[in-house]
Amino acid sequence: MRIPLMMMLGLGPTVARLKLRRCKSVGAIPTVWGRVWIHGEGEIEVGHRVVFDARMAPIELHAQQGARIVIEDDVTIEGGTSIEAQSYVVLGARSRLGMWCKLLDNMYHPLRGNRHERPKSTPLVVEEGVTVGSRSILLPGTHLQKGASVASGTVISRRIPPGVTVGGSPARALRREVAR
């Protein structure tokens, strides 16, 4: 495996901070490979040792004015992922988002009635130790509890209990962790 020149020179975290300069706060030792697009007037907080692996496709973080995106410690986000917040999105410590994931806390228009009205946002919470497979979509009101796992291509819009693996569209339980 080739080590990038910036890493050998110890410039990796410095370059990552430069790429994340529009964030409200950035923790120690961030890693950014590729492009991270940061949009909006909201606040984005990045924890310690967060990895943005955008070598295959850019990662997009979009926080509207008054909104917050909180990415806690030791989170890994892979390329093509888009996180959009109208109010609040949080990614818990040690969680992992696969490639091409989409996280939304607002649907931007109602499914019935006046499609020009913007519906109320519902916070999206991913607790610690959660793994989200590639091409998954987390809709408003999703709450993935500690240790949950999401199969690739899953669409979720509700609370998932701790230690449960879900898959499908709509999501259904595939496996439950056995308490020891």
Short mmCIF file of all heavy atoms in Angstrom, two decimals, residues 78 81 96-103 131-139 144 149-157 165-172 174:
data_model
loop_
_atom_site.label_atom_id
_atom_site.label_comp_id
_atom_site.label_asym_id
_atom_site.label_seq_id
_atom_site.Cartn_x
_atom_site.Cartn_y
_atom_site.Cartn_z
N GLU A 78 -17.71 7.09 4.12
CA GLU A 78 -17.14 6.75 2.82
C GLU A 78 -17.74 7.61 1.71
O GLU A 78 -18.75 8.28 1.89
CB GLU A 78 -17.36 5.26 2.55
CG GLU A 78 -16.58 4.38 3.52
CD GLU A 78 -16.72 2.90 3.21
OE1 GLU A 78 -17.12 2.54 2.08
OE2 GLU A 78 -16.41 2.11 4.10
N THR A 81 -21.38 9.82 0.12
CA THR A 81 -22.37 10.00 1.18
C THR A 81 -22.80 11.46 1.26
O THR A 81 -21.98 12.37 1.10
CB THR A 81 -21.81 9.53 2.53
OG1 THR A 81 -21.61 8.12 2.45
CG2 THR A 81 -22.74 9.84 3.67
N ARG A 96 -20.15 3.94 11.35
CA ARG A 96 -19.56 3.87 10.02
C ARG A 96 -20.66 3.97 8.98
O ARG A 96 -21.65 3.24 9.03
CB ARG A 96 -18.82 2.55 9.88
CG ARG A 96 -18.17 2.35 8.55
CD ARG A 96 -17.47 0.99 8.48
NE ARG A 96 -16.72 0.87 7.27
CZ ARG A 96 -15.47 1.26 7.10
NH1 ARG A 96 -14.81 1.76 8.12
NH2 ARG A 96 -14.86 1.12 5.95
N LEU A 97 -20.47 4.87 8.00
CA LEU A 97 -21.40 5.02 6.89
C LEU A 97 -20.71 4.52 5.63
O LEU A 97 -19.63 5.00 5.28
CB LEU A 97 -21.80 6.49 6.70
CG LEU A 97 -22.55 7.16 7.83
CD1 LEU A 97 -22.83 8.62 7.48
CD2 LEU A 97 -23.84 6.45 8.12
N GLY A 98 -21.34 3.59 4.92
CA GLY A 98 -20.80 3.06 3.68
C GLY A 98 -20.94 4.07 2.54
O GLY A 98 -21.46 5.18 2.70
N MET A 99 -20.51 3.65 1.36
CA MET A 99 -20.55 4.53 0.20
C MET A 99 -21.99 4.83 -0.24
O MET A 99 -22.87 4.01 -0.10
CB MET A 99 -19.80 3.89 -0.96
CG MET A 99 -18.31 3.84 -0.74
SD MET A 99 -17.41 3.36 -2.20
CE MET A 99 -17.68 4.77 -3.24
N TRP A 100 -22.18 6.03 -0.74
CA TRP A 100 -23.43 6.49 -1.36
C TRP A 100 -24.62 6.48 -0.41
O TRP A 100 -25.75 6.30 -0.85
CB TRP A 100 -23.74 5.68 -2.62
CG TRP A 100 -22.64 5.69 -3.61
CD1 TRP A 100 -21.77 4.67 -3.89
CD2 TRP A 100 -22.23 6.79 -4.43
NE1 TRP A 100 -20.87 5.07 -4.84
CE2 TRP A 100 -21.13 6.36 -5.19
CE3 TRP A 100 -22.69 8.09 -4.59
CZ2 TRP A 100 -20.48 7.18 -6.09
CZ3 TRP A 100 -22.04 8.90 -5.49
CH2 TRP A 100 -20.95 8.45 -6.23
N CYS A 101 -24.41 6.68 0.88
CA CYS A 101 -25.52 6.77 1.83
C CYS A 101 -26.13 8.17 1.75
O CYS A 101 -25.47 9.14 1.41
CB CYS A 101 -25.04 6.52 3.26
SG CYS A 101 -24.61 4.82 3.56
N LYS A 102 -27.40 8.25 2.10
CA LYS A 102 -28.11 9.54 2.12
C LYS A 102 -28.79 9.65 3.46
O LYS A 102 -29.54 8.76 3.87
CB LYS A 102 -29.14 9.54 0.99
CG LYS A 102 -29.89 10.80 0.84
CD LYS A 102 -29.17 11.72 -0.07
CE LYS A 102 -30.07 12.87 -0.49
NZ LYS A 102 -29.31 13.93 -1.07
N LEU A 103 -28.52 10.75 4.20
CA LEU A 103 -29.14 11.00 5.50
C LEU A 103 -29.89 12.33 5.41
O LEU A 103 -29.28 13.36 5.08
CB LEU A 103 -28.09 11.07 6.61
CG LEU A 103 -27.50 9.75 7.11
CD1 LEU A 103 -26.57 9.16 6.10
CD2 LEU A 103 -26.79 9.97 8.41
N THR A 131 -23.35 0.49 12.17
CA THR A 131 -22.80 0.33 10.83
C THR A 131 -23.93 0.46 9.82
O THR A 131 -24.94 -0.25 9.93
CB THR A 131 -22.12 -1.05 10.67
OG1 THR A 131 -21.09 -1.16 11.65
CG2 THR A 131 -21.53 -1.21 9.29
N VAL A 132 -23.76 1.35 8.86
CA VAL A 132 -24.76 1.57 7.81
C VAL A 132 -24.14 1.15 6.48
O VAL A 132 -23.11 1.68 6.08
CB VAL A 132 -25.22 3.04 7.77
CG1 VAL A 132 -26.24 3.26 6.65
CG2 VAL A 132 -25.80 3.47 9.11
N GLY A 133 -24.77 0.20 5.81
CA GLY A 133 -24.26 -0.31 4.54
C GLY A 133 -24.39 0.69 3.41
O GLY A 133 -25.14 1.67 3.49
N SER A 134 -23.70 0.42 2.33
CA SER A 134 -23.69 1.34 1.19
C SER A 134 -25.09 1.47 0.57
O SER A 134 -25.91 0.57 0.66
CB SER A 134 -22.69 0.85 0.14
OG SER A 134 -23.08 -0.41 -0.34
N ARG A 135 -25.31 2.62 -0.03
CA ARG A 135 -26.56 2.97 -0.72
C ARG A 135 -27.80 2.91 0.17
O ARG A 135 -28.91 2.72 -0.30
CB ARG A 135 -26.74 2.11 -1.96
CG ARG A 135 -25.67 2.33 -2.99
CD ARG A 135 -25.99 1.68 -4.30
NE ARG A 135 -24.89 1.82 -5.24
CZ ARG A 135 -24.66 2.88 -6.02
NH1 ARG A 135 -25.46 3.91 -5.96
NH2 ARG A 135 -23.65 2.90 -6.85
N SER A 136 -27.64 3.06 1.47
CA SER A 136 -28.77 3.09 2.39
C SER A 136 -29.29 4.53 2.50
O SER A 136 -28.53 5.48 2.34
CB SER A 136 -28.36 2.59 3.77
OG SER A 136 -28.04 1.22 3.71
N ILE A 137 -30.57 4.65 2.79
CA ILE A 137 -31.21 5.96 2.94
C ILE A 137 -31.83 6.03 4.32
O ILE A 137 -32.67 5.19 4.67
CB ILE A 137 -32.28 6.18 1.85
CG1 ILE A 137 -31.64 6.08 0.46
CG2 ILE A 137 -32.96 7.53 2.05
CD1 ILE A 137 -32.64 6.08 -0.68
N LEU A 138 -31.42 7.02 5.11
CA LEU A 138 -31.98 7.24 6.44
C LEU A 138 -32.86 8.48 6.35
O LEU A 138 -32.37 9.59 6.13
CB LEU A 138 -30.88 7.42 7.48
CG LEU A 138 -29.81 6.31 7.55
CD1 LEU A 138 -28.85 6.59 8.69
CD2 LEU A 138 -30.44 4.96 7.68
N LEU A 139 -34.15 8.29 6.53
CA LEU A 139 -35.14 9.36 6.37
C LEU A 139 -35.41 10.06 7.71
O LEU A 139 -34.97 9.59 8.76
CB LEU A 139 -36.42 8.77 5.80
CG LEU A 139 -36.29 8.17 4.40
CD1 LEU A 139 -37.57 7.43 4.01
CD2 LEU A 139 -35.95 9.23 3.38
N LEU A 144 -31.21 5.02 14.98
CA LEU A 144 -30.51 3.74 15.03
C LEU A 144 -29.82 3.66 16.39
O LEU A 144 -28.91 4.43 16.67
CB LEU A 144 -29.49 3.64 13.91
CG LEU A 144 -30.05 3.73 12.49
CD1 LEU A 144 -28.93 3.76 11.48
CD2 LEU A 144 -30.99 2.59 12.22
N SER A 149 -27.15 -2.50 12.99
CA SER A 149 -26.46 -2.66 11.71
C SER A 149 -27.51 -2.58 10.60
O SER A 149 -28.60 -3.14 10.72
CB SER A 149 -25.75 -4.01 11.68
OG SER A 149 -25.04 -4.18 10.49
N VAL A 150 -27.15 -1.89 9.52
CA VAL A 150 -28.07 -1.68 8.41
C VAL A 150 -27.46 -2.29 7.16
O VAL A 150 -26.33 -1.95 6.79
CB VAL A 150 -28.32 -0.16 8.21
CG1 VAL A 150 -29.23 0.07 7.01
CG2 VAL A 150 -28.91 0.46 9.47
N ALA A 151 -28.19 -3.19 6.51
CA ALA A 151 -27.70 -3.83 5.29
C ALA A 151 -27.69 -2.82 4.14
O ALA A 151 -28.38 -1.80 4.17
CB ALA A 151 -28.59 -5.01 4.93
N SER A 152 -26.92 -3.11 3.13
CA SER A 152 -26.82 -2.23 1.96
C SER A 152 -28.19 -2.05 1.30
O SER A 152 -28.98 -2.99 1.22
CB SER A 152 -25.85 -2.81 0.94
OG SER A 152 -24.57 -2.86 1.47
N GLY A 153 -28.46 -0.84 0.83
CA GLY A 153 -29.67 -0.55 0.09
C GLY A 153 -30.94 -0.46 0.92
O GLY A 153 -32.03 -0.46 0.38
N THR A 154 -30.82 -0.33 2.23
CA THR A 154 -31.98 -0.28 3.12
C THR A 154 -32.52 1.14 3.24
O THR A 154 -31.76 2.10 3.27
CB THR A 154 -31.58 -0.80 4.51
OG1 THR A 154 -31.09 -2.13 4.37
CG2 THR A 154 -32.75 -0.81 5.47
N VAL A 155 -33.84 1.26 3.32
CA VAL A 155 -34.50 2.55 3.54
C VAL A 155 -35.14 2.49 4.92
O VAL A 155 -35.94 1.60 5.20
CB VAL A 155 -35.57 2.83 2.47
CG1 VAL A 155 -36.27 4.14 2.74
CG2 VAL A 155 -34.95 2.82 1.08
N ILE A 156 -34.77 3.46 5.80
CA ILE A 156 -35.24 3.44 7.19
C ILE A 156 -35.88 4.80 7.53
O ILE A 156 -35.34 5.85 7.17
CB ILE A 156 -34.09 3.18 8.17
CG1 ILE A 156 -33.43 1.85 7.85
CG2 ILE A 156 -34.58 3.19 9.61
CD1 ILE A 156 -32.22 1.56 8.70
N SER A 157 -37.00 4.74 8.26
CA SER A 157 -37.64 5.97 8.71
C SER A 157 -38.19 5.83 10.13
O SER A 157 -39.12 6.53 10.50
CB SER A 157 -38.79 6.34 7.76
OG SER A 157 -39.76 5.31 7.77
N THR A 165 -29.95 -6.14 13.26
CA THR A 165 -29.55 -5.94 11.87
C THR A 165 -30.82 -5.85 11.04
O THR A 165 -31.68 -6.72 11.13
CB THR A 165 -28.68 -7.12 11.37
OG1 THR A 165 -27.51 -7.19 12.18
CG2 THR A 165 -28.29 -6.94 9.92
N VAL A 166 -30.93 -4.77 10.26
CA VAL A 166 -32.11 -4.57 9.42
C VAL A 166 -31.70 -4.52 7.96
O VAL A 166 -30.57 -4.18 7.62
CB VAL A 166 -32.89 -3.29 9.81
CG1 VAL A 166 -33.46 -3.40 11.20
CG2 VAL A 166 -32.03 -2.06 9.67
N GLY A 167 -32.66 -4.83 7.09
CA GLY A 167 -32.42 -4.76 5.66
C GLY A 167 -33.72 -4.66 4.91
O GLY A 167 -34.79 -4.96 5.44
N GLY A 168 -33.64 -4.23 3.66
CA GLY A 168 -34.81 -4.15 2.81
C GLY A 168 -35.38 -2.76 2.71
O GLY A 168 -34.91 -1.81 3.30
N SER A 169 -36.43 -2.66 1.89
CA SER A 169 -37.10 -1.39 1.68
C SER A 169 -38.60 -1.66 1.63
O SER A 169 -39.09 -2.17 0.63
CB SER A 169 -36.64 -0.76 0.37
OG SER A 169 -37.33 0.43 0.13
N PRO A 170 -39.34 -1.40 2.68
CA PRO A 170 -38.94 -0.80 3.95
C PRO A 170 -38.15 -1.78 4.81
O PRO A 170 -38.20 -3.00 4.61
CB PRO A 170 -40.27 -0.45 4.61
CG PRO A 170 -41.24 -1.43 4.05
CD PRO A 170 -40.78 -1.71 2.65
N ALA A 171 -37.45 -1.24 5.79
CA ALA A 171 -36.55 -2.03 6.63
C ALA A 171 -37.32 -3.03 7.48
O ALA A 171 -38.39 -2.74 8.01
CB ALA A 171 -35.75 -1.11 7.54
N ARG A 172 -36.75 -4.23 7.60
CA ARG A 172 -37.29 -5.24 8.51
C ARG A 172 -36.12 -5.93 9.21
O ARG A 172 -35.01 -5.96 8.68
CB ARG A 172 -38.16 -6.25 7.79
CG ARG A 172 -37.44 -7.05 6.74
CD ARG A 172 -38.40 -7.98 5.99
NE ARG A 172 -37.71 -8.66 4.93
CZ ARG A 172 -36.94 -9.74 5.09
NH1 ARG A 172 -36.78 -10.26 6.29
NH2 ARG A 172 -36.34 -10.30 4.06
N LEU A 174 -33.52 -8.51 10.33
CA LEU A 174 -32.93 -9.71 9.74
C LEU A 174 -32.30 -10.59 10.81
O LEU A 174 -32.29 -11.80 10.69
CB LEU A 174 -31.86 -9.33 8.70
CG LEU A 174 -32.32 -8.50 7.53
CD1 LEU A 174 -31.13 -8.12 6.65
CD2 LEU A 174 -33.37 -9.23 6.71
#
